[in-house]
């Protein structure tokens, strides 16, 4: 009785598994080399690696503290304040930039000439201007040009604008937070608008015509027929824009908003622990990015059309 089973080296699965083991082995070697070089260099400089400095007194003030914080608190507490400030910007930014992006994207396809071209001008201006320049514009040219708090501008009786920021009946936003948030919203929203426009245009014309033939009004056609199908095309690149917004929030240091990067930079300047602080920053942004990716991947699965 002959054995017709091919040799293992001709099995594709064998080489696939082998390649994975080799890749892991090479990565492990690179990590070991990096760590040994780092340890040797720190030892030569007389620097001890560790995170014990996090228990030391921070000795610096933070302009915006969503939780209680004093200069006598530890670096750990200061970094928590920075992290919460980053989360405030990221969560609010993702929420509002989605609204702005979807609105502008749908407006790009409007039959109204004025609406269509206003959306086009918005997209082209904000998408082709550096984000840092936009943040500086919002901060210096907009918010710092408002009158002082004594002569604040009142809009509709419940919104107040001044050099102290935006004031609502239930919350007050500092000018640094407001400038950063608006800059991220309108910059990222311009990219999302193009993603939405492309996603809507990817829906076959037959779907539009079929919905209209059933007597649906244009608004219902978009909301019930076209946009749900377009989500399959919109969500993957939308995830990238959410990740970009979260990482771009680190530009807050340019206008003095105390996010995690701002606080970590101050911590590094005072302690000299460059490696430890950079590792903390990398871990923070990696965790935020992975969390967003997981949530968006779960959302993407819900809009997929199941195969028959």
């Amino acid at each position: 009785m002959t054995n017709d089973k091919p040799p293992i080296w001709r099995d594709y699965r064998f080489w696939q598994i082998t390649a994975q083991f080799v890749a892991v082995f090479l990565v492990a070697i690179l990590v070991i080399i990096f760590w040994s070089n780092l340890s040797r260099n720190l030892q030569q400089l007389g620097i001890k690696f560790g995170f014990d400095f996090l228990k030391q007194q921070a000795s610096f003030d933070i302009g915006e503290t969503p939780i209680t914080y004093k200069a006598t608190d530890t670096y750990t507490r200061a970094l928590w304040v920075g992290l919460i400030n980053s989360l405030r910007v990221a969560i609010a930014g993702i929420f509002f930039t989605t609204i702005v992006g979807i609105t502008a994207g749908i407006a790009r396809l409007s039959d109204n000439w004025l609406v269509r071209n206003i959306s086009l001008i918005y997209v082209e201006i904000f998408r082709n201007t550096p984000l840092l320049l936009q943040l500086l514009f919002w901060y210096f040219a907009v918010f710092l040009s408002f009158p002082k708090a004594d002569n604040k501008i009142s809009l509709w009786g419940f919104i107040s604008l001044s050099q102290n920021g935006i004031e609502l009946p239930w919350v007050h936003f500092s000018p640094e937070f407001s400038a950063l948030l608006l800059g991220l919203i309108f910059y990222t929203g311009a990219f999302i608008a193009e993603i939405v426009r492309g996603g809507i245009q990817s829906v076959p014309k037959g779907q539009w015509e079929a919905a209209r033939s059933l007597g649906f009004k244009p608004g219902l056609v978009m909301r019930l027929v076209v946009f749900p199908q377009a989500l399959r095309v919109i969500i993957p690149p939308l995830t990238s824009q959410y990740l970009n917004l979260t990482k771009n929030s680190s530009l807050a240091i340019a206008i003095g908003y105390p996010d995690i990067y701002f606080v970590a930079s101050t911590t590094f300047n005072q302690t000299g622990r460059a490696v430890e602080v950079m590792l903390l920053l990398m871990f923070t942004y990696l965790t935020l990015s992975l969390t967003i990716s997981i949530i968006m991947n779960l959302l993407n699965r819900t809009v997929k059309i199941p195969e028959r």
Side-chain angles (χ1 to χ4, degrees):
M1 185 175 180
T2 60
N3 186 5
D4 295 333
K5 187 177 181 180
I8 190 172
W9 58 84
R10 293 185 180 179
D11 190 342
Y12 172 76
R13 291 172 298 179
F14 167 75
W15 289 110
Q16 190 178 39
I17 295 173
T18 302
Q20 293 176 1
F21 274 109
V22 172
V24 172
F25 179 71
L26 292 176
V27 170
I29 291 178
L30 289 175
V31 171
I32 292 173
I33 294 174
F34 170 78
W35 183 257
S36 62
N37 288 338
L38 175 63
S39 300
R40 183 170 60 254
N41 292 334
L42 290 177
Q43 187 176 7
Q44 292 175 353
L45 294 173
I47 300 175
K48 181 181 178 182
F49 180 84
F51 295 92
D52 54 312
F53 70 95
L54 293 175
K55 299 179 181 179
Q56 298 174 7
Q57 181 174 307
S59 302
F60 63 87
D61 293 321
I62 298 178
E64 189 160 346
T65 54
I67 59 175
T68 55
Y69 169 80
K70 305 182 297 296
T72 54
D73 288 335
T74 62
Y75 285 112
T76 300
R77 185 73 173 181
L79 290 170
W80 270 114
V81 172
L83 176 59
I84 294 174
N85 282 336
S86 291
L87 289 175
R88 291 171 63 205
V89 171
I91 294 172
I94 288 173
F95 176 78
F96 288 109
T97 199
T98 303
I99 297 175
V100 170
I102 291 176
T103 302
I106 295 176
R108 290 275 280 114
L109 301 172
S110 174
D111 294 331
N112 186 297
W113 181 90
L114 181 61
V115 172
R116 185 173 65 251
N117 283 278
I118 288 177
S119 177
L120 173 62
I121 293 172
Y122 155 69
V123 169
E124 294 303 324
I125 290 177
F126 283 87
R127 189 177 60 165
N128 295 297
T129 308
L131 175 57
L132 179 58
L133 181 61
Q134 294 184 35
L135 294 180
L136 296 176
F137 172 81
W138 283 109
Y139 186 61
F140 290 104
V142 176
F143 282 97
L144 293 190
S145 66
F146 286 152
K148 295 183 179 180
D150 297 337
N151 299 316
K152 58 187 177 182
I153 302 172
S154 180
L155 300 177
W156 305 292
F158 66 95
I159 300 178
S160 299
L161 302 176
S162 68
Q163 291 185 2
N164 291 340
I166 301 176
E167 185 177 350
L168 301 175
W170 59 90
V171 67
H172 176 265
F173 300 115
S174 71
E176 294 81 13
F177 176 84
S178 302
L180 177 63
L181 183 61
L182 289 175
L184 292 172
I185 288 173
F186 286 103
Y187 178 78
T188 312
F191 290 91
I192 293 178
E194 289 298 277
I195 293 171
V196 171
R197 180 177 67 88
I200 292 174
Q201 290 181 326
S202 70
V203 178
K205 292 293 184 181
Q207 297 292 319
W208 296 73
E209 295 170 357
R212 291 193 185 104
S213 67
L214 293 175
F216 287 170
K217 295 182 178 179
L220 289 177
V221 173
M222 177 63 68
R223 183 163 59 90
L224 300 179
V225 179
V226 175
F227 197 76
Q229 295 183 64
L231 284 175
R232 291 175 293 145
V233 179
I234 291 174
I235 288 179
L238 184 64
T239 303
S240 298
Q241 293 305 318
Y242 288 166
L243 295 175
N244 289 337
L245 184 147
T246 303
K247 290 178 286 188
N248 286 338
S249 65
S250 61
L251 291 174
I253 194 172
I255 56 176
Y257 178 70
D259 70 331
I260 183 65
Y261 186 82
F262 181 98
V263 176
S265 297
T266 306
T267 301
F268 158 67
N269 290 332
Q270 292 190 178
T271 62
R273 299 294 188 93
V275 177
E276 293 90 334
V277 171
M278 290 303 108
L279 287 175
L280 287 173
L281 276 177
M282 290 172 60
F283 176 77
T284 299
Y285 282 109
L286 179 62
T287 302
L288 293 177
S289 298
L290 290 177
T291 301
I292 293 172
S293 297
I294 291 172
I295 294 173
M296 294 303 292
N297 287 335
L298 292 175
L299 178 61
N300 191 36
R301 291 179 184 177
T302 63
V303 301
K304 278 186 176 180
I305 296 179
E307 298 181 359
R308 295 180 180 179

